[in-house]
Every structure is written in C-alpha cells, then in structure tokens.
Amino acid sequence: MDGRLRSPGDFRRVFREGKAVSTPDVIIHTSKSPVGGPGRYGLVVSRKVGGAVVRNRLRRQVRAAIALAGGIPSGLDTVIVVKPGASVRVAELSQRIWQIMEDGTRNEASVPEAGR
C-alpha cells in the first residue's frame, strides 16, 4: 500500500469521525485508522482552486510537504482539503502538518468528532 486513502468510504469516515484543523490555505481532517498500520492520507483539490495545472501543482506541493514533515504518523488517516485561493509554500505547510500531526497523536485517545 502506498499510504493514500482511495475509497470514497474512507474519505467520508474521516470527515464524519475525525477532527478538523483549519489554516489559511488548507483544512486538515484527522481520524484514527480502523485498520491501524502506516498513516494514510488523501487530498481534495476542487476545481474552485483553479485549472488542472494549478490543481496538480498544489497536489505535488502538498505531497512534498507531507514527505518533508516525515509522513503521516502510524494509525492516523488524514484528509487535506486545499482551499480556493491557496498559495501553498511547501516549508510552511510542512511545519503546519507536522504540528497538527503531533497534536493529533498526542490527543489520539480523545479525538473529538468534527462538526460538534
């Protein structure tokens, strides 16, 4: 497995059961993985963000930021939603992801549901 969420059911589960943290450029949803194992992530970059070239560049930048942050911690599923108008800087996003993942693993036992 390559560490990515692929099925729509996995995305729905993370949105429904996880917690969300918003930054100016992205919203990061995290949830405990039901299967355990290595951390997995999924990206949401809608057409509101821009054309195909812009969306693909943002996807590459977010993937680079995840790799620079050391990946997603084991046992967590994460969905990163890129907001329209985002200007992603890999180093800054990497640091934000690392901080959010650290908080998520520290508070893993008490992950509140999003939207409550």
Side-chain angles (χ1 to χ4, degrees), residues 22-39:
S22 183
T23 71
D25 297 320
V26 297
I27 302 170
I28 301 174
H29 298 265
T30 58
S31 175
K32 281 190 194 177
S33 175
V35 296

Side-chain angles (χ1 to χ4, degrees), residues 22-100:
S22 183
T23 71
D25 297 320
V26 297
I27 302 170
I28 301 174
H29 298 265
T30 58
S31 175
K32 281 190 194 177
S33 175
V35 296
R40 303 182 302 167
Y41 70 93
L43 301 176
V44 177
V45 187
S46 76
R47 283 189 286 174
K48 292 178 184 178
V49 173
V53 172
V54 172
R55 292 193 315 269
N56 287 330
R57 183 179 65 239
L58 286 168
R59 284 186 193 108
R60 286 191 304 272
Q61 289 173 328
V62 171
R63 285 188 198 115
I66 291 169
L68 191 60
I72 305 297
S74 295
L76 281 183
D77 284 348
T78 303
V79 175
I80 298 174
V81 180
V82 178
K83 294 180 179 180
S87 60
V88 175
R89 289 189 173 83
V90 175
E92 291 174 14
L93 182 59
S94 172
Q95 185 155 0
R96 286 187 195 137
I97 290 171
W98 186 82
Q99 289 171 342
I100 291 167

